[in-house]
Amino acid sequence: MRAVVQRVKSCSVSSEGTLCGRIGPGLCVLLGVKDGDGPEDVQWLADKVADLRIFEDEDGKMNRSLLDLGGQMLVVSQFTLYGDCRKGRRPSFVKAAPPDEADKLYEGFVARLRGKGIQVETGVFRTHMVVAIENDGPVTLIVDSPSKAEAPA
């Protein structure tokens, strides 16, 4: 799984002209699911994103997590994060998980975050969405769950 994590002052998502999610200060997460990802990727990535210390403490150092601050999160599915642009001019999306599989893992990711007490807003899976992001910092990170080959024994 891959997450593009942005610290935001605010962000929102609309699907087919209808506002479906809006948050104030917190994180905007664009989430991609790769073919072969599973529940262990959901658990690892949700925990990692929730605990990332990317908010400033009283000394101005990035030392606080979303959980520490009680912030909000907007999670938007984005299969294009697994687009391969190395050949030709049209991206290949063969590494992205099939929609039914991706939706199940996406929903699991959101559920795990909500289980931690985070207020999570979402887009609408498999629709055209418009995301408005007011990036704070700017702080943007790309977080990949470990591949099966990299996972500790």
Side-chain angles (χ1 to χ4, degrees), residues 69-121:
L69 299 177
Q72 304 170 316
M73 189 180 300
L74 176 70
V75 181
V76 177
S77 63
Q78 191 165 358
F79 76 95
T80 60
L81 292 179
Y82 281 106
D84 185 349
C85 300
R86 291 176 291 176
K87 289 177 98 177
R89 296 187 181 166
R90 182 179 315 151
S92 169
F93 299 106
V94 298
K95 291 183 182 178
D100 291 342
E101 179 184 326
D103 188 22
K104 187 170 34 173
L105 296 175
Y106 167 79
E107 292 296 336
F109 181 84
V110 170
R112 183 151 182 103
L113 293 166
R114 286 180 174 152
K116 292 176 166 292
I118 298 171
Q119 179 188 335
V120 180
E121 298 287 324

Side-chain angles (χ1 to χ4, degrees), residues 2-6 28-32 74-76 78 81 131 133:
R2 177 171 290 157
V4 174
V5 180
Q6 297 184 321
C28 179
V29 177
L30 307 176
L31 184 70
L74 176 70
V75 181
V76 177
Q78 191 165 358
L81 292 179
V131 182
I133 301 170

Side-chain angles (χ1 to χ4, degrees), residues 12-67:
S12 64
V13 61
S14 299
S15 173
E16 300 175 353
T18 302
L19 179 69
C20 45
R22 174 183 293 161
I23 66 164
L27 297 176
C28 179
V29 177
L30 307 176
L31 184 70
V33 180
K34 183 175 63 180
D35 194 21
D37 283 342
E40 65 280 358
D41 297 289
V42 169
Q43 179 179 342
W44 187 93
L45 193 59
D47 293 351
K48 177 64 81 174
V49 169
D51 291 326
L52 280 175
R53 296 182 346 185
I54 59 174
F55 293 91
E56 294 175 355
D57 64 14
E58 56 279 346
D59 295 325
K61 301 216 184 267
M62 281 196 222
N63 206 21
R64 293 195 175 155
S65 72
L66 186 73
L67 287 170

